[in-house]
Amino acid sequence: MSTAAVTAPPTVPTVEDLASDVITDPFDDMINPPGLTNHWATAQVDHDVLAVRSLNVPPVSQGDSISGQLYLGGRLARSYGQPVEVRWRPDRVERRTVVDGWEVRTTTVCPPGEPGVAVQVEVTDTTGTDRELRVGAWLDSSVTCAGEPWLEGAPPQAKNALVRQGARRLGRPEDGSAVSVQGLLDADGAGIDDGASTRVVEAVRAVPAGGTVRLGYVHTVARTEAEALAAFDRVAADVPGAVAASQRTWDAEIEALFTPGNAEFGGCLPRLVTTDDALRRLYWWGAVGVLWFRRDNPASVLGRTYDTLMPRYWQTTTFIWDYSLSSMVHALLDPQVMRRQVEHWVGLDIERHFGTEWLTGGPVGYWYSVNHYAMTRLVHDYLRLHGDHALLDAPVTTPDGRTSTMGDEVRAWSTAWHRLRTSSGLADYGDVDNLLECVSSYVHEVASLNAANVWNLRTAASISELQGRAEDAARLRAEAADLLPKVLDLAVPGEGFFHARQPDGSLVETRHCYDFATVGTTIADDVPAAQRDAMVEFFVRELRTPSWMRALSPHDDDAGWSLRADHQWNGAYPAWPADSARAAIALGHPEAVLEWLPGLARTANQGPPGQAHFVEEAIAPIGGGARKTPPQLPYIIDWSCSSAGAWCELVLAGVFGVDVALDGTVTAGGCIGDLDPDARLEGLVVQGRTYDVVAGEVRER
C-alpha cells in the first residue's frame, strides 16, 4: 500500500499550467498565430520563427505590419517551407523550426512596462560539423501617431522611411509623429550588423559542431526618438531578464485574480477546488481570458479599461455587448472600473454605436440592438455582486443634456423597446448589421432580444423595489407578463427553435444558438416543459459538437450565406458555448452539459478563447480542441476575445448554481453534485461578505 501523499488539485494556475499545446504552423495553414500583451503594448507572432506583427502601443500604432522575418544563409527562412512549432503562455510565445540543419528556437515577450517586444533567439547546429552561421532579420516599419480616435478594425499605420543608426534601424512617418527602433543583439546585448542592407540586419558567426549562437531581437515604438531609443536600450541590455520578468509579472497577476485584498484589482474571483480537470480548465480559461484584455495605458482618458479583441483588430475599443458577456467577472474582479465604464456609456447615446474607444472616450460604430439588454445586465450584476446601491441615485448626464439617475436609466432601458414595437406587440431589432452581421435571416423580430425585454422589465422591477418604488415595480412586472406569451408564440410548433418575424408579417425559421442561449438564460422557467425539452434536443442534435458548437444549424436556409465562423454553421463565438451550456442547465438538462465539458476543455488548448473556433467538420481540430479561426478573409477573426468571462459564469452560476439577489442573499444548487460532489468554491466575495459554496450549501466565513 502506497504511503505517498496525495497532491491536492491546484486552485491558482501558473503560466505553465495555462500553456497551449504545441501547434504546428506550416506557413499560414489555417493557423491564427498567438498574441502577446503587457497590458500596454500588444503584438502577434507571425508564421515564422522570429517575426512579429501588429505591434501597437496606443496612441502609437503600426497597424498589421510584419517585421523581423528570419533570414538564414542570405535567404528568407520561411521560403524553405519548414513548419514552425508554436507554444503560447500568458507571458511568452515559444517557437521552433529546423532549416538547413539549423535548429532555431525563440522566446517572444512584451517586456513588463515597455512599449515593444523582445525575442530571445538560439540557433544550434544539428549537422555535427563546424559551420558558418549567417543569420538575419528582415525589418519593416509603419509606425505613426494618428492623433485621432481609432475608429476602424485595424489600427492606423503609415508609410515609413527606414534608416540605419549604427546596428539599429529607425522608422519614421513623413509627419514625424512617431518612431520605431529595431535591431539584432549578441548575447551581451550589444547591437550587431555585419551586412550592408538597410532592410536586413545580419550577423555572421563561426559555429562549432553542435554549437549554439544566442542572439536577441528588440522592437520598440514611441512618439519621440528619445523615448523609443531609451526603451530599446533598457530591453536590449538584458533580453533574458525581460523574459524572466514577464513570467514573474504574469504569475503574480494571475495569483491576484484569486486573492482577496490583492493590490492589482478592486476584487477577486473565488477559487475553484475540484478534482474535475475539465471544469477547472474552463474556469481558468475564462478568468485569464478576461485578465488578458486589461489595459493600463496612460493614454486612456478612462483610466483602466478592458479591450474586446486583440491583437489584430479593434484595439482601444470596448464593445458593450462583449463586455456584458463577462459581466459577472467584471463585477467580482474590478467593480470600480466596471462602474466607471457603465457611467461613461450612459453619457453617450447607446442607440447609435456598439462601443467606445478609450483614447478619446468617443463612440465607435453603429447601433447594436443588444445594447439595452447588455447595459441592464451590467448594472444588475454590479449592484447584486458589489452592493454599491448608491449608484442608482447617482446623477448621470444623458447625451441630450438631461440629468437623470442610474435607476431611471435602467427603467428607461427596460421600456426602450416600445419605440421598436410593431403591430405584433414585439420589438423589431433591425437588420443584419444590428444583430449578428453574418446571418442574413436573423433580423427584425427575433426571440432572443424580445425574451431579454421580459428579463429587462423584471430586473428593472426588482431594482425599483430596492429603491422603494412599488408602483413602478408593479407596472413593469405587469408589462413583462403581457409580453411573455408574445415571445413564446415565436416558437416553431413541435420544434426547439424559433421564428424571426419579418416586417411584412411573414415568419422565417431561424435555427440559431442566440435564441436558444438567450431564451434559456432569461425566461427558462416560463417556457413550457415540452418546449424546454425540444429546445435542448435541438441544441444537442444540430448545434453541439464534440469539442465546440455551431452557432447556426447547417440545416438552416441561411447556412450558405457566410463563412464568418463566430455566428455561422462552421463555428461559434466564444461566449456561445458557455451561454448555451447555462441555458441547457436552466432548461432542466444538465446532462447535456456535463457530458460535453471534457470536449470543451480540449478547446482551451490554444490560449485564451478566440473570437471564433471552427467546428470539427469545418477544419481538423488541434490536439482534440476546436481550432481557432484565422484572421484573413473571409473569416476576419481575431486570435482572442474578452467575452471569455462567460466561461466563469458557466461554472459559477450554471454548474454551481450560484445566484445572488439584489439584497446580497446568496444561494446555490446547480449540478455540481453530479460532476464532483466534493467540489467547492472558496472565497466568493459578495457585497463585502465572504462565502464558501460546498455541496450546494452557501457558508459565510
Side-chain angles (χ1 to χ4, degrees):
M1 182 174 180
S2 173
T3 59
V6 176
T7 302
T11 59
V12 176
T14 65
V15 290
E16 184 61 33
D17 293 323
L18 298 162
S20 75
D21 288 353
V22 174
I23 298 169
T24 301
D25 185 354
F27 184 55
D28 209 10
D29 183 21
M30 300 296 276
I31 296 294
N32 202 331
L36 290 163
T37 186
N38 58 14
H39 309 302
W40 183 25
T42 61
Q44 184 175 28
V45 303
D46 197 44
H47 311 282
D48 178 282
V49 74
L50 177 64
V52 177
R53 67 190 304 152
S54 300
L55 172 59
N56 294 286
V57 189
V60 178
S61 59
Q62 297 198 96
D64 188 36
S65 64
I66 307 167
S67 194
Q69 295 182 64
L70 182 69
Y71 265 63
L72 280 175
R75 174 177 170 178
L76 184 68
R78 69 171 67 186
S79 72
Y80 285 88
Q82 296 303 302
V84 177
E85 297 172 353
V86 185
R87 181 176 183 257
W88 173 90
R89 294 185 350 187
D91 62 317
R92 68 182 63 178
V93 175
E94 299 166 343
R95 288 174 280 176
R96 175 189 176 275
T97 193
V98 178
V99 174
D100 191 29
W102 297 108
E103 180 188 52
V104 186
R105 292 181 178 270
T106 61
T107 301
T108 308
V109 301
C110 284
E114 297 293 356
V117 295
V119 186
Q120 186 173 276
V121 185
E122 293 184 349
V123 185
T124 301
D125 167 67
T126 65
T127 67
T129 59
D130 295 349
R131 308 173 69 195
E132 182 180 81
L133 170 66
R134 182 181 173 192
V135 60
W138 182 94
L139 305 182
D140 194 20
S141 178
S142 56
V143 71
T144 187
C145 185
E148 57 189 24
W150 294 10
L151 300 179
E152 303 294 333
Q157 65 182 70
K159 183 178 179 180
N160 278 199
L162 196 65
V163 299
R164 299 182 64 153
Q165 188 184 88
R168 301 164 174 167
R169 299 295 184 270
L170 274 62
R172 288 189 182 86
E174 287 186 2
D175 63 5
S177 60
V179 177
S180 72
V181 182
Q182 302 176 68
L184 281 181
L185 313 160
D186 65 18
D188 297 323
I192 50 175
D193 181 18
D194 299 336
S197 168
T198 299
R199 178 68 74 180
V200 179
V201 178
E202 278 194 307
V204 179
R205 296 290 184 268
V207 183
T212 297
V213 173
R214 291 175 175 82
L215 304 169
Y217 164 67
V218 173
H219 185 174
T220 59
V221 298
R223 278 182 275 195
T224 69
E225 180 177 326
E227 291 172 319
L229 285 170
F232 183 95
D233 289 342
R234 288 192 300 268
V235 178
D238 188 5
V239 170
V243 171
S246 183
Q247 177 173 344
R248 289 194 303 272
T249 300
W250 273 100
D251 274 337
E253 290 175 348
I254 292 166
E255 183 176 15
L257 280 175
F258 306 100
T259 303
N262 68 83
E264 290 283 341
F265 307 99
C268 67
L269 299 177
R271 297 190 181 195
L272 169 64
V273 182
T274 181
T275 57
D276 190 275
D277 293 339
L279 189 70
R280 181 171 54 250
R281 190 173 194 183
L282 291 170
Y283 185 61
W284 289 350
W285 200 38
V288 176
V290 174
L291 170 61
W292 189 244
F293 285 89
R294 193 186 81 193
R295 297 292 172 264
D296 291 317
N297 190 316
S300 170
V301 300
L302 302 178
R304 173 176 290 181
T305 57
Y306 286 82
D307 280 352
T308 292
L309 296 172
M310 75 156 285
R312 194 171 296 198
Y313 300 126
W314 292 113
Q315 295 183 35
T316 78
T317 297
T318 306
F319 287 64
I320 298 173
W321 192 351
D322 306 71
Y323 194 83
S324 75
L325 291 166
S326 292
S327 179
M328 192 174 193
V329 172
H330 288 297
L332 289 169
L333 182 65
D334 233 349
Q336 292 85 3
V337 174
M338 184 183 195
R339 173 171 175 164
R340 184 169 64 242
Q341 184 70 71
V342 168
E343 288 181 313
H344 180 69
W345 279 329
V346 170
L348 300 170
D349 189 346
I350 65 170
E351 296 182 9
R352 299 179 67 87
H353 63 86
F354 52 55
T356 50
E357 63 84 36
W358 44 258
L359 286 173
T360 66
V364 180
Y366 40 78
W367 171 59
Y368 272 179
S369 53
V370 74
N371 283 359
H372 294 115
Y373 170 44
M375 291 291 287
T376 305
R377 182 175 175 182
L378 288 165
V379 172
H380 180 247
D381 281 347
Y382 175 81
L383 292 172
R384 67 192 184 100
L385 294 167
H386 187 52
D388 179 14
H389 296 160
L391 170 68
L392 293 170
D393 296 318
V396 293
T397 302
T398 61
D400 58 5
R402 176 174 52 87
T403 299
S404 179
T405 68
M406 189 65 76
D408 288 337
E409 289 303 296
V410 171
R411 283 179 283 275
W413 298 334
S414 74
T415 58
W417 66 277
H418 292 176
R419 299 191 293 275
L420 307 173
R421 185 161 42 190
T422 71
S423 59
S424 72
L426 295 177
D428 183 329
Y429 277 106
D431 216 326
V432 61
D433 282 341
N434 307 120
L435 286 150
L436 297 176
E437 296 179 342
C438 55
V439 186
S440 68
S441 61
Y442 197 83
V443 290
H444 302 301
E445 296 179 40
V446 293
S448 57
L449 294 180
N450 279 288
N453 285 332
V454 176
W455 183 88
N456 288 347
L457 288 161
R458 291 170 170 171
T459 300
S462 297
I463 288 173
S464 296
E465 284 179 335
L466 184 70
Q467 293 186 283
R469 302 178 63 142
E471 291 184 6
D472 285 335
R475 171 179 55 83
L476 293 165
R477 284 207 171 87
E479 188 172 324
D482 180 66
L483 178 60
L484 177 64
K486 297 179 176 67
V487 177
L488 295 177
D489 281 347
L490 286 176
V492 178
E495 302 287 353
F497 45 89
F498 294 81
H499 292 111
R501 185 179 286 113
Q502 306 303 298
D504 63 2
S506 62
L507 296 173
V508 175
E509 291 185 359
T510 55
R511 303 179 183 220
H512 202 278
C513 76
Y514 194 59
D515 279 343
F516 174 78
T518 308
V519 170
T521 54
T522 56
I523 60 169
D525 291 342
D526 302 294
V527 178
Q531 187 178 345
R532 290 200 298 268
D533 292 343
M535 287 176 66
V536 178
E537 289 171 6
F538 158 69
F539 164 70
V540 172
R541 181 181 68 247
E542 298 188 23
L543 301 181
R544 195 185 74 175
T545 71
S547 60
W548 201 239
M549 70 177 292
R550 308 174 189 94
L552 181 70
S553 167
H555 297 280
D556 193 277
D557 286 351
D558 203 65
W561 196 72
S562 174
L563 284 172
R564 226 184 78 182
D566 45 353
H567 304 308
Q568 265 286 346
W569 69 269
N570 55 341
Y573 178 79
W576 297 164
D579 281 4
S580 294
R582 276 202 300 125
I585 293 170
L587 291 164
H589 288 276
E591 75 284 353
V593 176
L594 299 184
E595 65 191 20
W596 193 27
L597 293 180
L600 291 171
R602 291 196 300 270
T603 299
N605 67 341
Q606 300 156 60
Q611 185 187 348
H613 291 244
F614 281 127
V615 291
E616 297 84 347
E617 300 98 329
I619 192 74
I622 292 176
R627 182 186 302 236
K628 288 191 178 190
T629 310
Q632 66 267 19
L633 288 168
Y635 308 109
I636 55 172
I637 294 297
D638 219 338
W639 182 76
S640 56
C641 179
S642 68
S643 67
W647 293 93
C648 292
E649 187 161 1
L650 167 60
V651 174
L652 299 175
V655 177
F656 275 88
V658 172
D659 185 53
V660 181
L662 283 167
D663 66 1
T665 301
V666 184
T667 58
C671 53
I672 188 61
D674 296 327
L675 183 69
D676 178 4
D678 296 322
R680 62 189 185 274
L681 298 170
E682 294 182 341
L684 173 65
V685 181
V686 173
Q687 298 195 19
R689 297 179 177 178
T690 303
Y691 303 87
D692 297 332
V693 180
V694 185
E697 180 183 347
V698 179
R699 304 171 183 173
E700 185 174 359
R701 290 186 181 178

